[in-house]
Amino acid sequence: IFFLLSTPIIRRFPVVTSKLSLSNMSIDPIISEKALVVDPFCFRQFAQHKSSSSYSGTVFDITIEQFEQISNERFNAGTLSEGYAPFCKHLFIENDFTEASVNVLTITKENEHCLRTEYDARSEKELPVLTRHFPKELVTSSEKTLPVAKYLDLILYSREQINKENAAMDNDSKSSAPWGIVSIKAQDVNFELPMQPITAMRNAMGPEHGGSGIPIDKDSYMEAYKYWNHHANVK
């Protein structure tokens, strides 16, 4: 193999001065330079998406793009908290940029009559499971509102796990970011609240039914039972 040393050839190309229209540019949606993105499963938590109209949990007025920008600015892989499985992590950030309120109340003798139950599925492809909650209109009023949350718990799934669940449900997140935000909880503490027992059961059913395929851990389940036996979400 011979290497020829010579003066490098510099090719000059004409400078294009006309403006480019973004509508005519082909942008690959799979490429991402962000550490984390809002997964399509979590779009229902943003008012800009029509799916939010039927979602009874926390819905943000801020856009997904703005939320991702702020979340990535505050992202530090070294501060992630462990989740219920190796592919799940938690990122806790101060809620100083949204008006999201806490959505969990302690069950008392004064409000227990307001509790309601229903079978609920988070998407059309999931199996409905029995849940209970406080209807927001029964526990709040113009004089009694829920306080703005101090923190946001960003629940992250690894790209590998998201791809696995997408394959089972025939979905596509159209992202290669290492982490996807699959849920956002507004709360007053910067640590994980126990997973609802029914969510643990749903996860154990497997990806084909909307779960993650992680078996129930009895100790974690019992800790969750102790908490949720006396608390309920506001919807």
Side-chain angles (χ1 to χ4, degrees):
I1 300 175
F2 296 95
F3 294 89
L4 298 178
L5 298 177
S6 62
T7 303
I9 299 175
I10 301 176
R11 296 183 178 179
R12 299 186 182 277
F13 296 90
V15 177
V16 178
T17 58
S18 60
K19 293 183 179 179
L20 296 176
S21 171
L22 290 178
S23 61
N24 295 326
M25 296 177 65
S26 176
I27 301 175
D28 186 352
I30 303 299
I31 297 175
S32 174
E33 295 180 354
K34 300 176 181 177
L36 50 85
V37 296
V38 176
D39 189 76
F41 181 78
C42 192
F43 284 177
R44 60 187 181 157
Q45 290 195 246
F46 292 86
Q48 72 185 86
H49 276 265
K50 61 181 181 180
S51 58
S52 66
S53 61
S54 59
Y55 182 63
S56 53
T58 300
V59 175
F60 298 92
D61 290 328
I62 188 174
T63 68
I64 289 176
E65 292 74 16
Q66 291 171 323
F67 194 93
E68 287 181 346
Q69 179 181 350
I70 295 173
S71 299
N72 277 278
E73 289 173 351
R74 303 183 183 187
F75 177 82
N76 182 343
T79 63
L80 295 181
S81 300
E82 296 295 328
Y84 73 101
F87 57 76
C88 178
K89 306 293 181 184
H90 293 261
L91 174 63
F92 298 96
I93 60 177
E94 288 189 30
N95 181 34
D96 54 5
F97 61 100
T98 83
E99 294 299 318
S101 58
V102 296
N103 65 344
V104 175
L105 289 180
T106 301
I107 300 172
T108 66
K109 291 183 178 180
E110 290 71 30
N111 65 22
E112 62 182 0
H113 68 281
C114 297
L115 281 171
R116 299 291 186 270
T117 60
E118 64 176 349
Y119 280 94
D120 180 57
R122 298 173 299 181
S123 73
E124 295 180 354
K125 298 180 180 180
E126 284 190 347
L127 291 178
V129 296
L130 185 63
T131 63
R132 70 175 181 177
H133 66 276
F134 286 114
K136 189 174 183 179
E137 64 273 14
L138 296 184
V139 293
T140 63
S141 64
S142 57
E143 294 80 23
K144 185 180 180 182
T145 59
L146 298 172
V148 174
K150 297 178 181 178
Y151 298 95
L152 297 178
D153 175 10
L154 279 56
I155 302 176
L156 312 179
Y157 271 21
S158 69
R159 179 56 47 196
E160 180 181 4
Q161 178 64 21
I162 290 175
N163 290 341
K164 176 181 177 181
E165 295 188 18
N166 281 342
M169 303 292 282
D170 194 26
N171 293 327
D172 185 358
S173 295
K174 296 186 178 1
S175 175
S176 61
W179 298 100
I181 303 172
V182 296
S183 184
I184 307 167
K185 294 182 179 181
Q187 54 191 54
D188 275 342
V189 294
N190 61 346
F191 54 83
E192 179 187 6
L193 295 177
M195 179 186 293
Q196 291 195 48
I198 197 64
T199 303
M201 288 187 176
R202 191 206 303 268
N203 281 338
M205 290 191 292
E208 66 275 16
H209 299 304
S212 61
I214 298 299
I216 291 177
D217 177 83
K218 183 178 180 180
D219 292 338
S220 297
Y221 185 93
M222 293 308 296
E223 285 298 317
Y225 152 74
K226 292 176 183 178
Y227 179 83
W228 289 105
N229 193 38
H230 301 287
H231 296 80
N233 281 325
V234 179
K235 299 175 62 176

